[in-house]
Amino acid sequence: MKIGFIGLGNVGGKLSGSLIRNGHDVAVHDLNTDFVAGKAAAGARDGKSPADLMQSCDAVITCLPNPAASAAVLEQMLPHVAPGKIWMEMSTTDEAEVKRIGAQVIAAGGAAVDCPVSGGCHRADTGNISIFAGCDRETFERILPLLTTMGRRVLHTGDLGSASILKVITNYLATANLVSCAEALTVAKGAGMDLGVAYEAMAISSGTSFVHETESQVILNGSRDISFTMDLVAKDIGLFQNVADRAGVPLELNPLLIDIFQDGIAKFGPRELSPNIIKRLEAATGLDVTAPGFPPEMTDDEPEEVGAEVIVRR
């Protein structure tokens, strides 16, 4: 299968790297020509343009920062969609938008999949991230070898759009976890606790979480670097709010999270690293919530393995 990959940023660069590293036939495209050159040096081909990729490849993956970017790229590719072609949307996007664009791909004879990832950029780098995939079962079977190269755990979530709903649900949970960890660590500091001890107490308790075990470490290091920014958090929890609104579910916590991150963006800028939402509390209290012994960034120490489909319990 010839694969096109569009979008070589923090996540896309790592996912495409797993395909290239494991011997897949990959052509890449990005507005940043340095990113393209780097992947070409690793063994990929320069895909030239979205239109060229759809013409020359069996499956084209997009991993872009927002739904508008994906729509613009798909507009270039649609005239070249034909039976047998697959569009795989790995961006975090809006369920309604991926269905809208996907319907155009399907009408042209192709197949459409929304297949966002979850689990942190450090796991995207090693091929050990989790992947949700929304599409018909036949298409899922065709692309499963690609998904299990890029990810360790692959879940078929149902029809097109279902993966995007679950992705923004899980990102909402991660955001709520991040804000609660920031508050917990700041309270621990204010109460005079040893922050190394506080971290371990939280990690071995009923209050632990994936976010605590990863992002709390880079918060305490002071780097706050998880390769994710406040504007992306605001986008994701905004998409979650859209899903809730369409479903008629009145939310209480998410609107507060939206306000918190809008305030963080106003204070520190949209491209500020997302764990630095704790700077709002540090500024309000005068506390420095850092401690020695924690890493500046997260790395995945699991060996790379071929992934597998997650089987849903019924």
Side-chain angles (χ1 to χ4, degrees), residues 12-273:
K14 295 173 174 62
L15 295 173
S16 60
S18 291
L19 292 170
I20 296 163
R21 182 172 65 250
N22 286 283
H24 288 274
D25 185 336
V26 182
V28 297
H29 177 69
D30 193 280
L31 295 178
N32 187 321
T33 56
D34 290 340
F35 289 172
V36 174
K39 295 304 176 188
R45 292 174 287 109
D46 183 344
K48 304 300 182 185
S49 72
D52 287 339
L53 285 175
M54 186 55 78
Q55 286 179 298
S56 64
C57 296
D58 303 297
V60 179
I61 298 168
T62 50
C63 192
L64 298 163
N66 54 61
S70 291
V73 165
L74 258 294
E75 187 175 344
Q76 298 176 57
M77 294 196 293
L78 275 171
H80 309 287
V81 174
K85 303 280 188 179
I86 305 172
W87 168 52
M88 298 169 59
E89 171 64 292
M90 300 196 79
S91 319
T92 300
T93 191
D94 179 65
E95 164 237 357
E97 179 67 359
V98 79
K99 285 181 175 178
R100 183 188 70 81
I101 299 175
Q104 297 177 47
V105 172
I106 293 166
V113 187
D114 58 327
C115 44
V117 301
S118 185
C121 284
H122 61 299
R123 288 185 175 171
D125 203 25
T126 58
N128 288 329
I129 203 162
S130 298
I131 304 178
F132 304 150
C135 57
D136 63 86
R137 186 69 200 187
E138 181 182 352
T139 301
F140 179 77
E141 297 285 356
R142 287 180 64 196
I143 63 171
L144 188 56
L146 306 184
L147 299 179
T148 54
T149 299
M150 293 184 283
R152 174 72 70 89
R153 300 165 189 87
V154 179
L155 179 65
H156 184 214
T157 57
D159 293 336
L160 180 69
S162 60
S164 293
I165 292 174
L166 291 169
K167 169 61 174 174
V168 298
I169 287 173
T170 58
N171 276 20
Y172 156 73
L173 291 170
T175 303
N177 274 229
L178 172 59
V179 171
S180 65
C181 286
E183 292 189 349
L185 292 171
T186 307
V187 169
K189 176 71 172 185
M193 301 302 300
D194 179 309
L195 289 179
V197 173
Y199 172 85
E200 297 299 343
M202 292 163 64
I204 65 172
S205 75
S206 58
T208 195
S209 66
F210 173 83
V211 170
H212 172 61
E213 292 172 10
T214 55
E215 296 190 42
S216 287
Q217 294 202 58
V218 297
I219 285 174
L220 291 171
N221 172 272
S223 77
R224 289 42 192 301
D225 187 3
I226 61 160
S227 299
F228 207 71
T229 52
M230 290 190 185
D231 58 338
L232 294 178
V233 172
K235 178 201 76 171
D236 292 350
I237 57 179
L239 291 172
F240 174 70
Q241 188 66 48
N242 292 342
V243 172
D245 291 345
R246 286 194 293 266
V249 179
L251 300 180
E252 297 177 305
L253 181 54
N254 194 59
L256 179 57
L257 294 174
I258 290 172
D259 289 344
I260 288 170
F261 271 89
Q262 289 302 329
D263 183 62
I265 288 169
K267 285 182 166 69
F268 313 120
R271 302 305 292 166
E272 179 62 84
L273 292 164

